[in-house]
Amino acid sequence: AISFDISKLETLFSIDEQQCPSTNTSTTELKTPKAASILEPNRANNVEIMLRSFQMNHVEIKNCITQMDIQTLGAEKLTTIQATLPTPEELSLIQSFKGVKSELANADSYFLTIAYVPLLNVRVTSMTFKATFPHKIR
């Protein structure tokens, strides 16, 4: 039979806890703070995709909507904006957010930016109709 010296194995293969960095502190230090999101994850993801495809910042989009600038946005972007407009419930949640606005996720920040456009839904709907009307009558 083979005999093992357990104490010798422990000294050869054990790790000194003082030399090993604590896993609790290293994992918490590496975590980045997550942006606050009020929207549902799928909804926020769809809005994020739309925003990335536009290559415009939130204020530029808001200004185009406010000024009813159909030329800059175009029919395709307007149709996409109309499809992703915030619901009344989402607007209420965004407008009642009491935290730090700069810590909001990108989609939430976009909704907050456009939330105060007067008659947002009517404005975007009419812009979309005007932009797509020539294609509809052909």
Side-chain angles (χ1 to χ4, degrees):
I2 301 174
S3 64
F4 291 102
D5 185 6
I6 302 292
S7 62
K8 188 170 183 173
L9 284 174
E10 285 177 350
T11 57
L12 288 173
F13 295 103
S14 68
I15 298 174
D16 187 12
E17 289 183 20
Q18 294 174 352
Q19 293 176 351
C20 180
S22 175
T23 57
N24 293 340
T25 58
S26 64
T27 55
T28 54
E29 289 172 2
L30 294 177
K31 288 183 182 176
T32 57
K34 190 174 183 180
S37 184
I38 298 169
L39 302 174
E40 294 178 10
N42 287 341
R43 174 79 164 141
N45 190 33
N46 290 340
V47 174
E48 288 276 347
I49 292 168
M50 178 208 63
L51 291 171
R52 276 190 227 114
S53 71
F54 278 16
Q55 298 177 347
M56 298 172 75
N57 66 40
H58 306 161
V59 176
E60 291 172 333
I61 296 170
K62 176 190 167 221
N63 290 340
C64 285
I65 295 170
T66 305
Q67 297 165 4
M68 298 191 76
D69 186 356
I70 297 170
Q71 297 299 323
T72 303
L73 291 175
E76 190 175 323
K77 286 182 182 176
L78 283 166
T79 304
T80 307
I81 289 172
Q82 186 178 14
T84 58
L85 279 175
T87 64
E89 295 83 19
E90 290 169 336
L91 284 175
S92 174
L93 285 171
I94 291 290
Q95 290 172 337
S96 65
F97 179 70
K98 301 293 183 206
V100 180
K101 308 286 189 207
S102 62
E103 291 180 1
L104 279 173
N106 193 32
D108 299 73
S109 177
Y110 165 69
F111 276 2
L112 182 64
T113 303
I114 65 169
Y116 297 100
V117 171
L119 302 168
L120 175 65
N121 197 7
V122 174
R123 196 177 286 258
V124 172
T125 302
S126 63
M127 290 171 67
T128 305
F129 178 76
K130 185 176 179 181
T132 58
F133 185 72
H135 300 293
K136 290 181 180 181
I137 58 173
R138 289 184 192 165

